[in-house]
Amino acid sequence: MEILAIANQKGGVGKTTTAVNLAASLAARRKKVLMIDLDPQGNATTGTGLQKQALKMSIADVLLDGVSLKDAIVASPAGFDVVGANRDLSGIDITLMGQTDTHLLLTKAMAALEGAAYQYDYIIIDCAPSLNLLTINAMVATNGVIIPMQCEYYALEGLADLSQTIERLKELNPDLYIRGVLRTLFDNRNTLANDVSGELEAYFGDLMFQTVIPRNVRLAEAPAHGMTVLEYDKCSKGAQAYRKLAAEIVKQSAAK
Ligand SMILES: Nc1ncnc2c1ncn2[C@@H]1O[C@H](COP(=O)(O)OP(=O)(O)O)[C@@H](O)[C@H]1O
Ligand SMILES: [Mg+2]
């Protein structure tokens, strides 16, 4: 079982798009996948065709009320299991203030995933655009972090904070590492995007995924229909790119 968090404290870099479509692409390769939405906005939840306000149990019930993670799992129309999120998750930092071990809530919750029905090949966690308690919970519970990055002028800004956070959290989770940096929303006709892409390669080296996710309108349209891009337009450039990313990740997993 591999647990991968999709994190970057910048908003709008394609975290949620990656979480949903990577989960779908892994599922299309017959992998057993669970996606956990850790963003109160619940975009990953609705992106799989679930109604975020109609969830019987959400990740907030698990983290705040001790509901078993198993009881919050639902089979999504997208073809993989989901633990959804909604606004009930907002304000968790304040709700839990003063309590101890609040960074371990997700790790403890995931320990409940025993039994054959819960043997996932991949657990994908969609993080909020913040280095808040929720994101820290994800990183403590995770093996690898996938960092989506848009190749624009400010892309590298904030990266030092993210790298530092990962380094510091290694004290709590020695298994934590950067699984890969993913170029998203990429427009190869744009000179700046190509320059920044080159800078990222120089900075991250082998940590860069070979797969690049192009800017593709089908990826932006799909969530409005409550679908992953594989359901919405499986021949689109966006769908092809996420399937390629899934293949790259599965190959890496096999090599480990
Ligand atoms: N490769 C892409 N091509 C076109 N639009 C994209 C792409 N990736 C993301 N988007 C759109 O950009 C916006 C931000 O993406 P999102 O995945 O929600 O980012 P984040 O979760 O990092 O805030 C959304 O409207 C999404 O549909
Ligand atoms: Mg998001």
Side-chain angles (χ1 to χ4, degrees):
M1 176 149 90
E2 268 201 90
I3 308 167
L4 300 174
I6 318 292
N8 184 334
Q9 74 272 35
K10 270 183 196 285
V13 296
K15 285 183 293 298
T16 299
T17 305
T18 298
V20 168
N21 294 303
L22 175 60
S25 301
L26 288 166
R29 301 180 70 89
R30 297 173 173 268
K31 299 295 176 191
K32 190 166 164 62
V33 180
L34 172 66
M35 186 191 75
I36 301 177
D37 191 351
L38 263 195
D39 185 343
Q41 289 185 41
N43 292 338
T45 304
T46 51
T48 61
L50 296 169
Q51 301 289 328
K52 63 183 170 185
Q53 294 309 337
L55 295 170
K56 277 211 189 86
M57 297 283 179
S58 74
I59 191 69
D61 298 299
V62 176
L63 300 179
L64 295 168
D65 294 328
V67 166
S68 169
L69 190 65
K70 284 181 176 177
D71 294 333
I73 294 174
V74 288
S76 78
F80 52 89
D81 286 354
V82 173
V83 175
N86 55 34
R87 277 172 43 214
D88 296 349
L89 197 57
S90 54
I92 187 169
D93 288 66
I94 295 168
T95 311
L96 295 175
M97 207 145 63
Q99 297 189 24
T100 52
D101 290 345
T102 50
H103 59 285
L104 289 173
L105 289 169
L106 185 62
T107 306
K108 287 179 182 166
M110 286 173 62
L113 294 181
E114 288 170 344
Y118 302 97
Q119 292 314 297
Y120 292 100
D121 297 307
Y122 290 93
I123 299 182
I124 307 288
I125 306 175
D126 185 34
C127 294
S130 153
L131 290 173
N132 64 7
L133 180 61
L134 287 168
T135 302
I136 288 170
N137 262 275
M139 291 199 188
V140 174
T142 288
N143 312 122
V145 182
I146 293 176
I147 307 177
M149 293 192 81
Q150 204 179 333
C151 293
E152 54 173 24
Y153 186 63
Y154 292 113
L156 294 158
E157 191 188 66
L159 212 57
D161 293 337
L162 185 57
S163 307
Q164 243 174 43
T165 303
I166 292 174
E167 282 309 312
R168 282 183 13 222
L169 288 173
K170 274 186 183 165
E171 282 173 32
L172 298 167
N173 175 11
D175 296 335
L176 183 64
Y177 70 111
I178 296 177
R179 176 60 186 263
V181 175
L182 178 67
R183 283 159 282 191
T184 56
L185 286 144
F186 194 75
D187 176 2
N188 65 6
R189 290 162 306 181
N190 180 324
T191 317
L192 177 64
N194 281 298
D195 288 352
V196 174
S197 176
E199 276 181 49
L200 288 175
E201 274 170 3
Y203 187 88
F204 286 107
D206 288 349
L207 285 178
M208 298 300 293
F209 283 114
Q210 282 169 16
T211 308
V212 175
I213 309 296
R215 186 177 282 280
N216 176 242
V217 68
R218 306 307 253 175
L219 286 169
E221 288 168 357
H225 303 271
M227 288 182 195
T228 68
V229 77
L230 270 63
E231 299 163 280
Y232 182 63
D233 185 352
K234 68 177 194 295
C235 297
S236 62
K237 287 254 162 26
Q240 284 172 22
Y242 276 108
R243 293 190 75 136
K244 193 165 163 232
L245 177 67
E248 187 176 349
I249 287 175
V250 167
K251 200 171 155 203
Q252 283 179 347
S253 304
K256 275 199 297 201

